[in-house]
Amino acid sequence: MEHITLLLGIVIVTALVFDFTNGFHDTANAMATTISTGALKPKTAVAMSAVLNLVGAFLSVEVAKTISGGIINEEGIRTEVIFAALVGAILWNLLTWLLGLPSSSSHALFGGLIGAAVMSAGWSSVNGSTVITKVLIPAVAAPLVAGLAAMLATRLTYRISNRAGEQATSKGYRAGQITSAGLVSLAHGTNDAQKTMGIITLALVTGGVLAPGSNPPLWVIVSAGVAIALGTYLGGWRIIRTMGRGLTDLAPPQGFAAQTSAATVILASSHLGFSLSTTQSCSGAVMGSGLGRKGGVVRWSTATRMFVAWGLTLPAAGLVGAGAEFLTQQGTWGIVLTGALLIAGSGVIWSLSRRQPVTVDNVNDEPVPAGVVTAAIAAVTPPPAGPVTTAATATAPDDLMTTIPGPDAEPARPATV
């Protein structure tokens, strides 16, 4: 750790702050379904996820290599570029957390890095082929593959549980859901903690501390693992509510299928060095599990907001990163101003979040209202098939008649005297 300058130290600290926000932003990926189905208590769930995030950080460095030496060219990149990239990523993470949207922390980091690098050294500083093959293609493929796998797995689990009986399989699925949630947490640590390792390694290369192409030092691996674990334990309750209750209504078999499918996709991509978004993989799996259950409905209004956030993440974080890099190019005062804007922006977002706080105590209290598409589907769903007779209607209880009015019924009007 010798020869680390003050600026390089600030960049390393800022990278660990991003890692911390990544932790609480993405806790929902592993634990939202487990919490929403009641398989684990909220605090127990995030504690387990934090420990496994830390363990997962030590399993691989392939994704870290992709970031530190793949997305942008290391030659000619200044340390200030890394700082500007992290500013864009942190602010986007906090904004989407405030809105309760499970957007991609990975793409926020990539967008900030690309925007800052282009502002500093032009488009030639970005390895376009790596961005396409290891970022954009996995971004599209991961949620589709995870969603399809979760849909098929959900149908299979319900077919098995129908034969065995719901009561006989309920405990088993809850235990399986806890196991699969642990697997997702391990995968999240393996994939996402490496992104911060890669950024810190890239900063050390640009600062002349490490040679280009070096693996992350042990202290980088440990600090990144601890930072993401602490953020995970804090719990991103807003996004947990969206993932657990906002996209679809989940039962234990669905939660088990969704988490197992997502973990498989994430671990496979980490082994191949694909830096995909764990958020998109887990969100796609949750939607797939909703579609896989007979009669299940996905709340497409919430899903649409989420898709929009996914599409905006790269360009939005890139623009903020480019703006931050423009300021850092002005010298010391520009770097100080960029840091001040980061602190001020984070403070404003935090104060806004306190107006309607979502905590461990109310994360499952109120169901998320159904969206327009879901409400329309529910409105046109036909009633169960059965004999319809005039006598049955005539003898129906009064409370049932008032609960389900006929199509031509008009609201009751107060009597006038």
Side-chain angles (χ1 to χ4, degrees):
M1 294 178 62
E2 56 184 357
H3 307 304
I4 293 182
T5 63
L6 175 61
L7 176 59
L8 187 54
I10 293 173
V11 171
I12 292 172
V13 172
T14 307
L16 294 176
V17 171
F18 165 77
D19 203 24
F20 179 81
T21 66
N22 190 353
F24 75 74
H25 194 280
D26 291 1
T27 307
N29 296 343
M31 291 301 169
T33 59
T34 306
I35 292 171
S36 67
T37 60
L40 281 176
K41 293 182 179 179
K43 274 295 184 182
T44 304
V46 296
M48 185 183 87
S49 183
V51 172
L52 291 172
N53 268 204
L54 179 59
V55 173
F58 292 88
L59 297 184
S60 174
V61 293
E62 292 302 317
V63 175
K65 290 180 182 178
T66 297
I67 294 174
S68 63
I71 292 179
I72 65 173
N73 298 316
E74 297 168 334
E75 295 80 6
I77 294 297
R78 303 175 304 121
T79 306
E80 291 89 335
V81 173
I82 314 301
F83 179 57
L86 290 167
V87 170
I90 291 172
L91 288 177
W92 183 256
N93 261 3
L94 291 176
L95 178 61
T96 50
W97 164 76
L98 175 66
L99 299 175
L101 293 175
S103 69
S104 171
S105 299
S106 307
H107 291 175
L109 180 59
F110 300 152
L113 189 60
I114 292 170
V118 170
M119 175 60 70
S120 174
W123 288 103
S124 60
S125 62
V126 179
N127 294 325
S129 60
T130 302
V131 172
I132 293 173
T133 58
K134 293 202 171 184
V135 177
L136 295 182
I137 292 178
V140 176
L144 294 176
V145 172
L148 180 60
M151 183 175 66
L152 296 176
T154 299
R155 292 181 178 178
L156 178 62
T157 54
Y158 271 106
R159 183 169 296 179
I160 294 173
S161 62
N162 288 338
R163 292 177 181 176
E166 185 175 351
Q167 291 184 347
T169 58
S170 178
K171 288 185 178 181
Y173 277 125
R174 288 182 183 276
Q177 193 176 1
I178 294 172
T179 303
S180 61
L183 192 60
V184 173
S185 297
L186 193 68
H188 182 255
T190 304
N191 195 281
D192 279 40
Q194 286 190 62
K195 291 159 188 161
T196 300
M197 296 178 205
I199 282 293
I200 295 177
T201 303
L202 180 60
L204 293 173
V205 170
T206 61
V209 179
L210 293 178
S214 299
N215 287 337
L218 179 61
W219 67 267
V220 173
I221 297 174
V222 172
S223 58
V226 170
I228 199 170
L230 289 174
T232 300
Y233 182 71
L234 180 65
W237 305 113
R238 291 175 178 272
I239 301 176
I240 288 175
R241 172 181 281 183
T242 300
M243 287 275 285
R245 301 178 67 87
L247 284 174
T248 186
D249 297 318
L250 292 175
Q254 292 171 279
F256 171 72
Q259 289 169 325
T260 304
S261 302
T264 303
V265 172
I266 296 167
L267 288 173
S269 69
S270 297
H271 178 70
L272 296 173
F274 290 136
S275 186
L276 56 72
S277 166
T278 56
T279 300
Q280 293 181 359
S281 300
C282 293
S283 300
V286 169
M287 286 186 283
S289 67
L291 294 173
R293 187 185 71 180
K294 187 176 181 180
V297 177
V298 173
R299 295 183 177 93
W300 292 110
S301 58
T302 302
T304 300
R305 291 172 56 229
M306 191 172 62
F307 295 152
V308 171
W310 290 358
L312 290 176
T313 296
L314 272 170
L319 287 174
V320 176
E325 170 57 17
F326 176 78
L327 288 177
T328 62
Q329 289 176 349
Q330 311 309 312
T332 303
W333 71 267
I335 297 174
V336 172
L337 179 59
T338 301
L341 290 174
L342 173 61
I343 295 173
S346 302
V348 169
I349 293 173
W350 173 257
S351 62
L352 290 174
S353 72
R354 295 302 88 196
R355 294 182 179 181
Q356 292 182 330
V358 180
T359 67
V360 63
D361 298 319
N362 65 3
V363 66
N364 277 333
D365 282 358
E366 294 293 333
V368 178
V372 175
V373 176
T374 302
I377 292 174
V380 300
T381 300
V388 180
T389 62
T390 306
T393 306
T395 58
D398 292 339
D399 57 346
L400 181 60
M401 293 295 291
T402 55
T403 303
I404 312 176
D408 299 326
E410 294 183 0
R413 299 180 183 178
T416 59
V417 180

